[in-house]
Amino acid sequence: DIVMTQSPDSLAVSLGERATVNCKSSQTILYGSNNKPYLSWYQQKPGQPPKLLIYWASARESGVPDRFSGSGSGTSFTLTISSLQPEDVAVYYCQQYYSVPHTFGQGTKLEI
Amino acid sequence: QVHLQESGPGLVKPSETLSLTCTVSGGSLSGYFWTWVRQAPGKGLEWIGYIYSSGSSTYNPSLRSRVTISADTSTNQFSLRLNSVTTEDTAKYYCARRRTSSSGIDSWGQGILVIVSS
């Protein structure tokens, strides 16, 4: 199995400041035929299902605010929230869908 | 806008079979990957598996011996069966949709809590 390791486990950021969540995969998740990393980022608020924010490591899902961005390559990836808003308080997960099982990171809890 | 809704028993006895159904509205099953993900109370997300609309399914190897995902295009539903459950299978179970083989999971149900207890 590909192990996805997120850091930090929890993070407190002031409103309007930048928040950064990291995700490392234990092996490559770059799909050779299209050169895309098969990595997604999700946001989960309490009592709600996860919400897709980013796929292909950096492609923003439709309707997601542009303060959310994804980057990275190889085995290291980052989710950045450029200016933290109150509604961004949530747990954030990365997931690889390069190989079965499609493993998730352990989650990063983001607080104000 | 596709909508997914899980249904099924909220309580299952140990060693019995957990059976859940996901009803899809606002869209067809055709052309998508229909997925189950679970989340134990206070824990992270665990991918269970998916079925493509053609009927081929792929499972988490850790659950493969106990899990079956099936789909019924006539009712626009897909289902999860997990045999021989233990208390470790207590979780909220989400049904979800992945658009393509190269995209993330873009639509989720609200989830259903299943408790395994005698």
Side-chain angles (χ1 to χ4, degrees):
Chain A
D1 296 6
I2 296 178
V3 177
M4 307 299 289
T5 304
Q6 292 182 225
S7 62
D9 289 333
S10 63
L11 179 63
V13 174
S14 300
L15 290 174
E17 295 299 306
R18 178 185 300 259
T20 300
V21 181
N22 301 299
C23 176
K24 283 190 190 298
S25 59
S26 60
Q27 60 192 78
T28 185
I29 53 175
L30 185 71
Y31 196 68
S33 65
N34 60 13
N35 210 37
K36 303 279 191 192
Y38 275 19
L39 181 110
S40 289
W41 287 99
Y42 300 90
Q43 174 194 65
Q44 187 178 32
K45 297 181 180 180
Q48 295 185 21
K51 174 187 174 183
L52 178 65
L53 300 175
I54 302 283
Y55 60 97
W56 290 342
S58 61
R60 195 179 303 114
E61 176 71 354
S62 175
V64 173
D66 61 8
R67 64 180 181 274
F68 290 92
S69 64
S71 62
S73 61
T75 59
S76 291
F77 302 92
T78 299
L79 173 71
T80 301
I81 308 172
S82 60
S83 175
L84 192 71
Q85 301 301 303
E87 61 268 29
D88 300 335
V89 169
V91 178
Y92 292 84
Y93 294 93
C94 60
Q95 183 202 22
Q96 65 80 21
Y97 46 97
Y98 173 82
S99 73
V100 171
H102 294 176
T103 42
F104 291 90
Q106 80 276 18
T108 294
K109 186 174 185 179
L110 177 58
E111 299 173 310
I112 304 294
Chain B
Q1 179 82 357
V2 70
H3 179 76
L4 295 89
Q5 181 68 58
E6 304 87 352
S7 59
L11 180 64
V12 181
K13 290 183 167 51
S15 80
E16 295 190 346
T17 297
L18 179 159
S19 293
L20 298 175
T21 297
C22 182
T23 301
V24 178
S25 55
S28 165
L29 293 187
S30 296
Y32 298 104
F33 296 80
W34 300 98
T35 299
W36 289 95
V37 174
R38 69 181 181 179
Q39 187 170 36
K43 303 296 185 184
L45 301 166
E46 180 180 22
W47 181 82
I48 297 172
Y50 67 76
I51 186 166
Y52 184 55
S53 54
S54 65
S56 82
S57 52
T58 301
Y59 303 127
N60 190 323
S62 70
L63 299 169
R64 183 177 289 135
S65 64
R66 299 194 291 133
V67 69
T68 303
I69 299 175
S70 58
D72 185 343
T73 54
S74 67
T75 59
N76 235 34
Q77 295 176 324
F78 64 105
S79 300
L80 171 72
R81 284 176 59 89
L82 184 65
N83 301 327
S84 305
V85 298
T86 72
T87 55
E88 300 289 306
D89 296 310
T90 292
K92 179 170 276 192
Y93 286 76
Y94 293 100
C95 64
R97 183 191 78 173
R98 188 155 67 103
R99 274 194 303 265
T100 72
S101 61
S102 67
S103 67
I105 301 173
D106 66 302
S107 298
W108 297 73
Q110 286 300 306
I112 183 169
L113 177 63
V114 179
I115 296 172
V116 178
S117 175
S118 55

